[in-house]
Amino acid sequence: MAFLQFEGGRIHYVDKGEGPALLFLHAFPLSSAMWNKQANDLKDAWRVLAIDFPGFGKSDRLARPASMEAFAQVALALLDAAKVERAAVIGLSMGGYAAFELRAMAPGRVGALALCDTRATPDTPDGRKAREATARAVEEDGCAVLAERMLPNLVTPNAPPALKRDIEKLITENSPEGAAAALRAMALRKDFTGSLKDIDCPTLVLVGDHDTLTPPSDSQAMAQAIPGARFESVHGAGHLSNLENPKDYDAALRSFLDAHRARL
Ligand code: MLT
């Protein structure tokens, strides 16, 4: 098991395979374990790095309030620890929010970008209020509240019960304090809509064709705003498209990565 030190805490990460580096950033409220299938599928040709953001999985919480900037700094600290100058950054949903920050902070470290089931827009005022109410509920009753409230929106109604149980397990393994901190961090995230036009690395926008949280039409509009971006949808998948249809997700990602391998 691999850890790095960040501001006095331990951050857990996965490091598998050899080749140009891929940095996977997980969704809320999951952990690096949501990328297990991708890590196993891609490690034949790529070095797969996947981080547990602070307060998730096996990583300690931050001593300061969480923020998407801080999550991006932790991801950059992983690239430093792994001695990776440039990686393809793959962020799903909250991982995408952190990927926008990371690219803005250190564009030279991002050789290619995959924005999956995510959005560049910030929370609305009502959305922020709802985040705070959820954060309080999680602090009081634990992460089971998140599993109960979010699961119907994370996968389609057709998702196999075993997949739902696996996702529920990942959610409830997280610390309530870490999840609450991330909810408040997401509520304060920046609006990256205006800087989509400045993304100058190869970009893939990937979305489950049944994603109701970040719908395909919004993802398509985001792809259109990024110069030269490729847009693809994952058949029969909801928001957690990599988990619901890993075969098609991995095929789309691998084809994009293969096309840009020389940059990584
Ligand atoms: C996620 O999947 O990371 C969340 O749906 C993001 C969010 O709540 O905005």
Side-chain angles (χ1 to χ4, degrees):
M1 216 174 284
F3 289 90
L4 62 93
Q5 289 292 322
F6 185 85
E7 297 179 357
R10 285 196 334 158
I11 299 294
H12 169 251
Y13 65 95
V14 172
D15 186 354
K16 279 188 181 173
E18 276 172 33
L22 312 179
L23 173 62
F24 283 89
L25 305 178
H26 67 80
F28 177 88
L30 289 102
S31 67
S32 61
M34 71 172 263
W35 299 116
N36 283 349
K37 275 208 168 72
Q38 283 67 43
N40 287 330
D41 280 359
L42 293 162
K43 69 172 195 246
D44 61 339
W46 304 88
R47 181 176 180 192
V48 175
L49 299 169
I51 200 161
D52 282 345
F53 284 127
F56 290 92
K58 299 180 182 67
S59 289
D60 291 337
R61 268 184 296 139
L62 292 169
R64 57 177 158 136
S67 63
M68 290 302 116
E69 293 93 318
F71 284 7
Q73 285 163 355
V74 176
L76 280 172
L78 169 54
L79 293 186
D80 291 344
K83 301 200 176 356
V84 168
E85 184 47 40
R86 189 165 42 230
V89 177
I90 299 119
L92 195 143
S93 202
M94 179 178 78
Y97 307 159
F100 282 124
E101 283 289 351
L102 194 158
R103 201 210 67 88
M105 249 174 224
R109 309 290 296 269
V110 183
L113 191 57
L115 298 167
C116 313
D117 304 276
T118 194
R119 55 165 83 83
T121 49
D123 277 6
T124 60
D126 282 350
R128 285 193 195 117
K129 277 189 208 143
R131 295 260 198 222
E132 182 54 33
T134 309
R136 288 184 189 185
V138 172
E139 282 166 339
E140 253 170 53
D141 299 323
C143 286
V145 165
L146 290 175
E148 197 184 301
R149 291 186 187 179
M150 292 186 70
L151 205 48
N153 294 319
L154 296 179
V155 289
T156 67
N158 299 329
L163 175 63
K164 291 188 195 165
R165 280 196 299 273
D166 287 350
I167 295 172
E168 191 173 346
K169 184 166 180 291
L170 289 187
I171 294 177
T172 50
E173 277 169 359
N174 286 320
S175 84
E177 296 79 10
L183 281 161
R184 294 186 176 111
M186 287 193 290
L188 295 177
R189 74 183 188 280
K190 290 180 205 142
D191 183 358
F192 281 99
T193 320
S195 53
L196 293 175
K197 63 179 183 338
D198 305 323
I199 298 181
D200 57 2
C201 63
T203 301
L204 170 67
V205 175
L206 198 51
V207 65
D209 63 0
H210 286 74
D211 187 343
T212 51
L213 291 179
T214 49
S217 53
D218 291 0
S219 295
Q220 203 157 11
M222 182 168 79
Q224 276 162 4
I226 302 172
R230 189 193 284 196
F231 171 79
E232 289 202 40
S233 60
V234 181
H235 177 69
H239 187 60
L240 297 178
S241 56
N242 72 311
L243 288 173
E244 200 163 359
N245 185 350
K247 190 166 161 280
D248 287 7
Y249 179 96
D250 290 4
L253 185 59
R254 193 188 276 271
S255 139
F256 168 72
L257 293 169
D258 284 345
H260 300 291
R261 191 174 175 96
R263 286 182 54 94
L264 299 164

